[in-house]
Amino acid sequence: TLEAAAFAANTEVVRKLLASGADVHARDSWGRTALHSAAMANHLEIVNLLLAAGAKADVPDKVGDVPLHLASRHPARMPVVERLLKAAPAMVNHQNELGHTPLLVAVDHKWADGVARLLAHGADATKQDLNGKSILEWAPNAKIRALLEHRPSATPREKSASKRAPKTAPKRTAAPKPSKKSTKFERPATRSRR
């Protein structure tokens, strides 16, 4: 099938099936199209072939995932994410049956560059899942939290500079030396509070 060939990243078979009139909208048992499969397989050439043949990037599978959800799971898939965003820009905020957007998927997979790219394409960081948990609450680390809050996070250069900065220890003052006249500890005189 076209879905299987796309998932296997078999470009030659995909070309032959498309040339013989295979249905680009056909779905597997999960309700996924060949475009879903190509997005999961991270195969940009097949994604382009399917889109050129009329595949739609806004078709959800049985759980409501569009191909962009599947591409947003891994850093190696950035070119596929970019292509799917170009093909169906409105899908950047599409929520599946759990209320997860592609942005939440990237956050959950700790993919900071993907988070930044989706935000740059208009992803809404205020969306909540079906349990009322915000995307910000899903943020696994400070860098992703900063991206979601539109705050600058420390750049690698700033981080390395702070690591190289000399750390100064508090200065220690020497304890007073006992006088040679007396080894007995004497209390300082105190004032009377009357």
Side-chain angles (χ1 to χ4, degrees), residues 108-173:
D108 188 42
H109 286 83
K110 302 176 180 116
W111 183 24
D113 290 340
V115 169
R117 180 64 63 207
L118 291 164
L119 287 168
H121 282 274
D124 183 354
T126 65
K127 294 265 188 187
Q128 296 181 342
D129 65 16
L130 291 184
N131 294 319
K133 188 174 179 181
S134 73
I135 292 175
L136 187 58
E137 291 175 274
W138 281 86
N141 57 49
K143 182 177 182 179
I144 290 178
R145 247 187 305 308
L147 288 168
L148 294 171
E149 293 173 339
H150 304 290
R151 290 185 290 117
S153 60
T155 63
R157 182 175 293 190
E158 291 168 337
K159 288 178 185 174
S160 65
S162 69
K163 287 180 184 174
R164 284 183 270 131
K167 294 183 180 174
T168 56
K171 292 184 179 179
R172 293 185 182 190
T173 56

Coordinates of all heavy atoms in Angstrom, one line a residue, residues 108-173:
D108 N 6.6 18.1 25.0 CA 6.6 16.9 25.7 C 7.9 16.0 25.3 O 8.4 15.3 26.1 CB 5.4 16.1 25.4 CG 5.2 14.8 26.2 OD1 5.6 14.9 27.4 OD2 4.8 13.8 25.7
H109 N 8.3 16.2 24.1 CA 9.5 15.5 23.6 C 10.8 16.3 23.8 O 11.9 15.9 23.3 CB 9.4 15.1 22.1 CG 8.4 13.9 22.0 ND1 7.0 14.1 21.9 CD2 8.6 12.6 21.9 CE1 6.5 12.9 21.8 NE2 7.4 12.0 21.8
K110 N 10.7 17.4 24.6 CA 11.9 18.2 25.0 C 12.7 18.7 23.8 O 13.9 18.8 23.8 CB 12.8 17.4 25.9 CG 12.1 16.9 27.2 CD 13.1 16.1 28.0 CE 12.3 15.6 29.2 NZ 12.2 14.2 29.3
W111 N 12.0 19.1 22.7 CA 12.6 19.6 21.5 C 12.5 21.1 21.4 O 11.6 21.7 20.9 CB 11.9 18.9 20.3 CG 12.5 19.2 19.0 CD1 13.8 19.7 18.8 CD2 11.9 19.2 17.7 NE1 14.0 19.9 17.4 CE2 12.8 19.6 16.8 CE3 10.6 18.8 17.3 CZ2 12.5 19.7 15.4 CZ3 10.3 18.9 16.0 CH2 11.3 19.3 15.0
A112 N 13.5 21.8 22.0 CA 13.4 23.2 22.1 C 13.4 23.9 20.7 O 12.7 24.9 20.5 CB 14.6 23.7 22.9
D113 N 14.2 23.5 19.8 CA 14.2 24.1 18.4 C 12.9 23.9 17.7 O 12.4 24.8 17.0 CB 15.3 23.5 17.5 CG 16.7 23.9 18.0 OD1 16.8 24.9 18.7 OD2 17.7 23.2 17.6
G114 N 12.2 22.8 17.9 CA 10.9 22.6 17.4 C 9.9 23.5 18.0 O 9.0 24.0 17.3
V115 N 10.0 23.7 19.3 CA 9.1 24.6 20.0 C 9.3 26.0 19.5 O 8.3 26.7 19.1 CB 9.4 24.6 21.6 CG1 8.7 25.7 22.3 CG2 9.0 23.2 22.2
A116 N 10.5 26.4 19.3 CA 10.8 27.8 18.8 C 10.2 27.9 17.4 O 9.6 29.0 17.1 CB 12.3 28.0 18.8
R117 N 10.4 26.9 16.5 CA 9.9 27.0 15.2 C 8.4 27.0 15.1 O 7.8 27.8 14.4 CB 10.4 25.8 14.4 CG 10.0 25.7 12.9 CD 10.5 26.9 12.1 NE 11.9 26.8 12.1 CZ 12.8 27.8 11.9 NH1 12.3 29.0 11.8 NH2 14.1 27.6 11.9
L118 N 7.7 26.2 15.9 CA 6.2 26.2 15.9 C 5.7 27.5 16.5 O 4.7 28.1 16.0 CB 5.7 25.0 16.8 CG 6.0 23.7 16.1 CD1 5.8 22.5 17.1 CD2 5.1 23.4 14.9
L119 N 6.4 28.1 17.5 CA 6.0 29.4 18.0 C 6.1 30.5 16.9 O 5.3 31.4 16.8 CB 6.8 29.8 19.3 CG 6.4 29.0 20.5 CD1 7.5 29.2 21.6 CD2 5.0 29.3 21.0
A120 N 7.2 30.4 16.2 CA 7.5 31.4 15.1 C 6.4 31.3 14.0 O 6.1 32.3 13.3 CB 8.8 31.2 14.5
H121 N 5.8 30.1 13.9 CA 4.7 30.0 12.9 C 3.3 30.2 13.5 O 2.3 29.8 12.9 CB 4.8 28.6 12.3 CG 5.8 28.5 11.3 ND1 5.6 28.8 9.9 CD2 7.1 28.1 11.3 CE1 6.8 28.7 9.3 NE2 7.7 28.2 10.1
G122 N 3.2 30.7 14.7 CA 2.0 31.1 15.3 C 1.3 30.1 16.3 O 0.2 30.3 16.6
A123 N 2.1 29.2 16.7 CA 1.6 28.2 17.7 C 1.1 29.0 19.0 O 1.8 29.9 19.4 CB 2.6 27.1 18.1
D124 N 0.0 28.6 19.5 CA -0.5 29.2 20.7 C -0.1 28.5 22.0 O -0.5 27.4 22.3 CB -2.1 29.2 20.6 CG -2.8 29.9 21.8 OD1 -2.1 30.4 22.7 OD2 -4.0 30.1 21.7
A125 N 0.8 29.1 22.8 CA 1.3 28.5 24.0 C 0.3 28.5 25.1 O 0.6 28.0 26.2 CB 2.6 29.2 24.4
T126 N -0.8 29.1 24.9 CA -1.8 29.2 26.0 C -2.9 28.1 25.9 O -3.7 27.9 26.8 CB -2.6 30.5 26.0 OG1 -3.3 30.7 24.8 CG2 -1.6 31.7 26.2
K127 N -2.8 27.2 24.9 CA -3.7 26.1 24.8 C -3.6 25.2 26.0 O -2.5 25.0 26.5 CB -3.5 25.4 23.5 CG -3.7 26.2 22.2 CD -5.1 25.9 21.7 CE -5.3 26.5 20.4 NZ -6.7 26.5 20.0
Q128 N -4.7 24.5 26.3 CA -4.7 23.5 27.4 C -5.2 22.2 26.8 O -6.0 22.2 25.9 CB -5.7 24.0 28.5 CG -5.3 25.2 29.2 CD -6.2 25.6 30.3 OE1 -7.3 25.1 30.4 NE2 -5.7 26.5 31.2
D129 N -4.8 21.1 27.4 CA -5.2 19.8 27.0 C -6.6 19.5 27.7 O -7.2 20.4 28.3 CB -4.2 18.7 27.4 CG -4.0 18.5 28.9 OD1 -4.8 19.0 29.7 OD2 -3.0 17.9 29.3
L130 N -7.2 18.4 27.4 CA -8.5 18.1 27.9 C -8.6 18.0 29.5 O -9.7 18.2 30.0 CB -9.0 16.8 27.4 CG -9.3 16.8 25.9 CD1 -9.9 15.5 25.4 CD2 -10.3 17.9 25.5
N131 N -7.5 17.9 30.1 CA -7.4 17.9 31.6 C -7.2 19.3 32.2 O -7.0 19.4 33.4 CB -6.3 16.9 32.1 CG -6.6 15.5 31.8 OD1 -7.8 15.1 31.9 ND2 -5.6 14.8 31.3
G132 N -7.1 20.3 31.3 CA -6.9 21.6 31.7 C -5.5 22.0 32.0 O -5.2 23.0 32.6
K133 N -4.6 21.1 31.6 CA -3.1 21.3 31.9 C -2.6 22.2 30.7 O -2.8 21.8 29.5 CB -2.4 20.0 32.0 CG -1.0 20.1 32.4 CD -0.3 18.8 32.6 CE 1.1 18.9 33.0 NZ 1.7 17.5 33.2
S134 N -2.0 23.3 31.0 CA -1.5 24.2 30.0 C -0.2 23.6 29.4 O 0.5 22.8 30.0 CB -1.2 25.6 30.5 OG -0.1 25.6 31.3
I135 N 0.1 24.1 28.2 CA 1.4 23.7 27.5 C 2.6 24.1 28.4 O 3.5 23.4 28.6 CB 1.5 24.3 26.1 CG1 0.4 23.7 25.2 CG2 2.9 24.1 25.6 CD1 0.3 24.3 23.8
L136 N 2.5 25.3 29.1 CA 3.5 25.7 30.0 C 3.8 24.7 31.1 O 4.9 24.5 31.5 CB 3.2 27.1 30.5 CG 4.3 27.8 31.3 CD1 5.6 27.9 30.5 CD2 3.8 29.1 31.8
E137 N 2.7 24.1 31.6 CA 2.8 23.2 32.7 C 3.5 21.9 32.2 O 4.1 21.2 33.0 CB 1.4 22.8 33.3 CG 0.8 23.9 34.1 CD -0.6 23.6 34.5 OE1 -1.6 23.8 33.7 OE2 -0.7 23.1 35.6
W138 N 3.5 21.6 30.9 CA 4.1 20.5 30.4 C 5.6 20.7 30.2 O 6.4 19.7 30.0 CB 3.5 20.1 29.0 CG 2.2 19.4 29.0 CD1 1.0 19.9 29.1 CD2 2.0 18.0 28.9 NE1 0.0 19.0 29.1 CE2 0.7 17.7 29.0 CE3 2.9 16.9 28.8 CZ2 0.1 16.5 28.9 CZ3 2.4 15.6 28.8 CH2 1.0 15.4 28.8
A139 N 6.1 22.0 30.2 CA 7.5 22.3 29.9 C 8.4 21.6 30.9 O 8.3 21.7 32.1 CB 7.7 23.8 30.1
P140 N 9.4 20.8 30.3 CA 10.2 20.0 31.1 C 11.5 20.7 31.6 O 12.2 20.1 32.5 CB 10.7 18.9 30.1 CG 10.6 19.6 28.7 CD 9.5 20.6 28.8
N141 N 11.8 21.9 31.1 CA 13.0 22.5 31.5 C 12.9 24.0 31.4 O 11.9 24.5 30.7 CB 14.2 22.0 30.8 CG 14.1 22.1 29.3 OD1 13.8 23.2 28.8 ND2 14.4 21.0 28.6
A142 N 13.8 24.8 31.9 CA 13.8 26.2 31.9 C 13.9 26.8 30.5 O 13.3 27.8 30.2 CB 14.9 26.8 32.8
K143 N 14.7 26.2 29.6 CA 14.8 26.7 28.3 C 13.5 26.7 27.5 O 13.1 27.7 26.9 CB 15.9 25.9 27.5 CG 16.1 26.4 26.1 CD 17.2 25.6 25.4 CE 17.5 26.2 24.0 NZ 18.6 25.5 23.4
I144 N 12.8 25.6 27.6 CA 11.5 25.5 26.9 C 10.5 26.4 27.6 O 9.7 27.1 26.9 CB 11.0 24.0 26.9 CG1 11.9 23.3 25.9 CG2 9.6 24.0 26.4 CD1 11.6 21.8 25.7
R145 N 10.5 26.5 28.9 CA 9.6 27.4 29.6 C 9.8 28.9 29.2 O 8.9 29.6 28.9 CB 9.8 27.3 31.2 CG 8.6 26.8 31.9 CD 8.7 26.8 33.4 NE 9.8 26.2 34.1 CZ 10.3 25.0 34.1 NH1 9.9 24.2 33.2 NH2 11.3 24.6 34.8
A146 N 11.1 29.2 29.0 CA 11.4 30.6 28.6 C 10.9 30.8 27.2 O 10.4 31.9 26.9 CB 13.0 30.8 28.6
L147 N 11.0 29.8 26.3 CA 10.5 30.0 24.9 C 9.0 30.2 25.0 O 8.4 31.0 24.3 CB 10.8 28.7 24.1 CG 12.3 28.6 23.7 CD1 12.5 27.2 23.1 CD2 12.6 29.6 22.6
L148 N 8.3 29.4 25.8 CA 6.8 29.5 25.9 C 6.4 30.8 26.5 O 5.3 31.3 26.1 CB 6.3 28.3 26.7 CG 6.5 26.9 26.0 CD1 6.1 25.8 27.0 CD2 5.7 26.8 24.8
E149 N 7.2 31.3 27.4 CA 6.8 32.6 28.0 C 7.4 33.8 27.2 O 7.3 34.9 27.6 CB 7.4 32.6 29.4 CG 6.7 31.6 30.3 CD 7.3 31.6 31.7 OE1 8.5 31.9 31.9 OE2 6.6 31.1 32.6
H150 N 8.0 33.5 26.1 CA 8.5 34.5 25.2 C 9.6 35.3 25.9 O 9.7 36.5 25.7 CB 7.5 35.4 24.6 CG 6.4 34.7 23.9 ND1 6.6 34.1 22.7 CD2 5.1 34.4 24.2 CE1 5.5 33.5 22.3 NE2 4.6 33.7 23.2
R151 N 10.4 34.6 26.7 CA 11.5 35.3 27.4 C 12.8 34.8 26.8 O 12.8 33.6 26.3 CB 11.6 34.8 28.9 CG 10.5 35.3 29.8 CD 10.7 35.0 31.2 NE 10.5 33.5 31.4 CZ 11.4 32.7 31.9 NH1 12.6 33.1 32.1 NH2 11.2 31.4 32.0
P152 N 13.8 35.6 26.7 CA 15.0 35.2 26.2 C 15.7 34.2 27.2 O 15.6 34.4 28.4 CB 15.9 36.4 26.1 CG 15.3 37.4 27.0 CD 13.8 37.0 27.1
S153 N 16.2 33.1 26.7 CA 16.9 32.2 27.6 C 18.4 32.4 27.4 O 18.8 33.0 26.4 CB 16.5 30.7 27.3 OG 16.8 30.4 26.0
A154 N 19.2 32.0 28.3 CA 20.6 32.2 28.2 C 21.1 31.5 27.0 O 20.8 30.4 26.7 CB 21.3 31.7 29.4
T155 N 21.9 32.2 26.2 CA 22.6 31.6 25.0 C 23.7 30.7 25.5 O 24.2 30.9 26.6 CB 23.1 32.7 24.1 OG1 24.1 33.4 24.8 CG2 22.0 33.7 23.7
P156 N 24.2 29.8 24.6 CA 25.3 29.0 25.0 C 26.5 29.8 25.4 O 27.2 29.5 26.3 CB 25.6 28.2 23.7 CG 24.2 28.1 23.0 CD 23.6 29.4 23.3
R157 N 26.7 31.0 24.7 CA 27.9 31.8 25.0 C 27.7 32.4 26.4 O 28.7 32.4 27.2 CB 28.0 32.9 24.0 CG 29.2 33.8 24.2 CD 29.3 34.9 23.2 NE 29.6 34.2 21.9 CZ 30.0 34.7 20.8 NH1 30.1 36.0 20.8 NH2 30.3 34.0 19.8
E158 N 26.5 32.8 26.8 CA 26.3 33.4 28.1 C 26.5 32.3 29.2 O 27.1 32.6 30.2 CB 24.9 34.0 28.2 CG 24.7 35.2 27.4 CD 23.2 35.6 27.3 OE1 22.3 34.7 27.5 OE2 22.9 36.7 27.1
K159 N 26.1 31.1 28.9 CA 26.2 30.0 29.8 C 27.7 29.7 30.1 O 28.1 29.5 31.2 CB 25.5 28.8 29.4 CG 24.0 28.9 29.5 CD 23.3 27.6 28.9 CE 21.8 27.8 28.9 NZ 21.2 26.7 28.3
S160 N 28.5 29.6 29.0 CA 29.9 29.3 29.1 C 30.6 30.4 29.8 O 31.6 30.2 30.6 CB 30.5 28.9 27.8 OG 30.6 30.1 26.9
A161 N 30.2 31.7 29.6 CA 30.9 32.8 30.2 C 30.6 32.7 31.7 O 31.5 33.0 32.5 CB 30.4 34.1 29.7
S162 N 29.4 32.4 32.1 CA 29.1 32.3 33.6 C 29.9 31.1 34.2 O 30.2 31.2 35.4 CB 27.6 32.2 33.8 OG 27.1 30.9 33.4
K163 N 30.1 30.1 33.5 CA 30.9 29.0 34.0 C 32.4 29.3 34.2 O 33.0 28.8 35.1 CB 30.8 27.7 33.1 CG 29.4 27.1 33.1 CD 29.4 25.9 32.2 CE 28.0 25.3 32.2 NZ 27.9 24.2 31.2
R164 N 32.9 30.2 33.3 CA 34.3 30.6 33.4 C 34.5 31.7 34.4 O 35.6 32.0 34.8 CB 34.8 31.0 32.0 CG 35.0 29.9 31.1 CD 35.6 30.3 29.8 NE 34.5 30.6 28.9 CZ 34.3 31.7 28.2 NH1 35.2 32.7 28.2 NH2 33.3 31.9 27.4
A165 N 33.5 32.4 34.8 CA 33.7 33.5 35.7 C 34.3 33.0 37.0 O 33.8 32.0 37.5 CB 32.3 34.2 36.0
P166 N 35.3 33.7 37.5 CA 35.9 33.2 38.8 C 34.9 33.4 39.9 O 34.2 34.3 40.0 CB 37.1 34.2 39.0 CG 36.7 35.4 38.2 CD 35.9 34.9 37.0
K167 N 34.9 32.3 40.7 CA 34.0 32.3 41.8 C 34.8 32.8 43.0 O 35.8 32.3 43.3 CB 33.4 30.9 42.1 CG 32.5 30.5 40.9 CD 31.9 29.2 41.2 CE 31.0 28.8 40.0 NZ 30.5 27.5 40.1
T168 N 34.3 33.8 43.7 CA 35.0 34.3 44.8 C 34.4 33.8 46.1 O 33.2 33.9 46.3 CB 35.0 35.9 44.8 OG1 33.6 36.3 44.8 CG2 35.7 36.5 43.7
A169 N 35.2 33.3 46.9 CA 34.8 32.8 48.2 C 34.7 33.9 49.2 O 35.5 34.9 49.1 CB 35.7 31.7 48.7
P170 N 33.9 33.9 50.1 CA 33.8 34.9 51.1 C 35.2 35.0 51.8 O 35.8 34.0 52.1 CB 32.7 34.6 52.0 CG 32.3 33.1 51.7 CD 32.9 32.8 50.4
K171 N 35.6 36.2 52.1 CA 36.9 36.3 52.8 C 36.7 36.0 54.3 O 35.7 36.3 54.9 CB 37.4 37.8 52.7 CG 37.8 38.2 51.3 CD 38.3 39.6 51.3 CE 38.8 39.9 49.9 NZ 39.3 41.3 49.8
R172 N 37.7 35.2 54.7 CA 37.6 34.8 56.2 C 38.5 35.8 57.0 O 39.6 36.2 56.5 CB 38.2 33.4 56.3 CG 37.3 32.4 55.7 CD 37.8 31.0 56.0 NE 37.0 30.0 55.3 CZ 37.1 28.8 55.6 NH1 38.0 28.3 56.4 NH2 36.3 27.9 54.9
T173 N 38.0 36.1 58.1 CA 38.8 37.0 58.9 C 39.4 36.1 60.0 O 38.8 35.2 60.5 CB 37.9 38.1 59.6 OG1 36.8 37.5 60.2 CG2 37.4 39.1 58.5

